[in-house]
Structures are given as C-alpha cells and as structure tokens.
Amino acid sequence: AQNSGYPSATGNEWQFPNGVLQDYVMDFDSTSPGDYISTPMTMLNSATQCTISFWGKKDASNKKLSVGGTINNSEGIWILWYNDGNIYFSPRGASTGSFSLIYAQPYDNNWHHYLGVYDGSSATNCKLYLDGNLVATGSGTPPSSLPATTGDNFQIGALTATNHYSDGQISNVAVWNTAITDANQIADIYNNGSPQTSYTVSPQNWWKL
C-alpha cells in the first residue's frame, strides 16, 4: 500500500492504531503477496449491530475492492466490490453463511461511497448504500451476532482469509458500533459526495487514510 509521507510498511501489511490518521489516500495492489492494512477492533467481536463506511475507487472492472473482517467464507463481515461487478455486503455467522446483500454496480473508474448497516435482529434492518442511496435491503436470516473473532481479523484493502486483495484506492474507512438507520445521519456520512472531516455521530474507529 502506498501512502506518501507515512511510515513504511513491514512486508505487505500496514499496522495502524485505531483512530483518525492523516488525510491521505491508500493505493492497494494485489500483486503477490498483496497490500493490506491490518486494523483489529474488538468491538466487532460478537457484535449484534454495526455500520461500516468507506470511499473507494477500483483500478479496473476485473479487479476487487474490499474492507472487512473474515474468518472464512461463512464467517465475518465485509463489503466487497467483486470482479463479477457485484457489491457484496456480507454479515455472516456459521449458521447463516450465505447471507449477503448484493448490488450490481457498473464499472466507471470513479470514486464511490460504500456503507453497510448490520442489525442481527432483522434482515430488513440490514442495508447497503451506494453514494448515499439505499441499493439493497436484506432478506432471509442474518446472524444474530457476528463471530467472536470478527474484529480481530478486520482489514482494509484485503480479505486475506478468503484470498481477496484490492486493486485500487481506499480512503476514510469508518466503523460504528450501532446500526445507523436515520436518513439524516446517512446523508451526513455521505456528505454530498465529499469525504467527511467530522461526523454528526462519531464513529468508534476511523481511518482517514
């Protein structure tokens, strides 16, 4: 991952503490062994609610862009713009391994804002937003809580447990410990298409990048 003016990475993994970082964009490359930032956060371990937000720009239509915590294909939580053209917001537990919200996004080489809302009490409370607009609502059965090590595996730019590495740029990753449902708060996070310098509802973890 490239970030001019910031401390160099150890190998292919950037280690940052939780909190607000410099106003940079990180450029990720999937060339083996692949770039990513490891950002463990215990608040996602066994969480029953959360909201994940980030800005991203993919290098090409056949590439990937990802943020989240994976244990395996059936456990964790992630937002992945996959190389099949679909965005997958996937809060998953061992008993609900196929639960995902899916939206087909045409590739356009532009920056976009991604926001996923997880609420284990109801599938319809799970939401996926693209550029401030609701594009998918959950159906079926979500996990009542996330797996106990979800946050320990949280990464920006990769889902190493499932071999997904990003090619593109990621900025302003934010995570809340609640399911944000208020339309004004969603609009505040999107901020008319401009990455925020502050939020009405402060995230528990925020990496400006």
Side-chain angles (χ1 to χ4, degrees), residues 61-177:
S61 61
N62 63 344
K63 303 300 183 179
K64 305 172 188 175
L65 207 63
S66 63
V67 169
T70 54
I71 302 162
N72 53 55
N73 280 320
S74 300
E75 296 181 286
I77 187 169
W78 59 88
I79 301 175
L80 169 65
W81 188 8
Y82 194 50
N83 55 13
D84 64 358
N86 291 320
I87 305 169
Y88 296 87
F89 173 50
S90 302
R92 294 186 174 181
S95 62
T96 56
S98 63
F99 185 81
S100 285
L101 286 68
I102 304 172
Y103 177 72
Q105 179 186 355
Y107 177 72
D108 58 10
N109 195 36
N110 291 329
W111 281 93
H112 292 284
H113 181 255
Y114 306 86
L115 186 144
V117 180
Y118 160 66
D119 184 341
S121 68
S122 170
T124 56
N125 291 339
C126 297
K127 311 284 186 181
L128 173 63
Y129 293 82
L130 176 66
D131 296 333
N133 298 309
L134 178 65
V135 294
T137 299
S139 62
T141 305
S144 57
S145 62
L146 299 177
T149 58
T150 300
D152 299 340
N153 297 283
F154 198 85
Q155 297 169 336
I156 299 170
L159 305 171
T160 59
T162 51
N163 200 34
H164 295 306
Y165 291 87
S166 296
D167 283 278
Q169 298 175 321
I170 297 175
S171 183
N172 269 269
V173 179
V175 183
W176 291 259
N177 62 2

Side-chain angles (χ1 to χ4, degrees), residues 25-28 54-59 65 111 167-171:
V25 167
M26 298 298 294
D27 193 359
F28 295 87
F54 73 95
W55 287 88
K57 180 177 183 289
K58 195 162 68 164
D59 284 346
L65 207 63
W111 281 93
D167 283 278
Q169 298 175 321
I170 297 175
S171 183

Side-chain angles (χ1 to χ4, degrees), residues 3-26:
N3 182 340
S4 176
Y6 217 84
S8 61
T10 300
N12 65 312
E13 178 180 354
W14 291 73
Q15 294 278 359
F16 290 133
N18 292 345
V20 178
L21 299 182
Q22 303 291 333
D23 293 310
Y24 290 108
V25 167
M26 298 298 294

Side-chain angles (χ1 to χ4, degrees), residues 45-62:
N45 293 341
S46 303
T48 58
Q49 292 186 341
C50 69
T51 300
I52 300 172
S53 163
F54 73 95
W55 287 88
K57 180 177 183 289
K58 195 162 68 164
D59 284 346
S61 61
N62 63 344

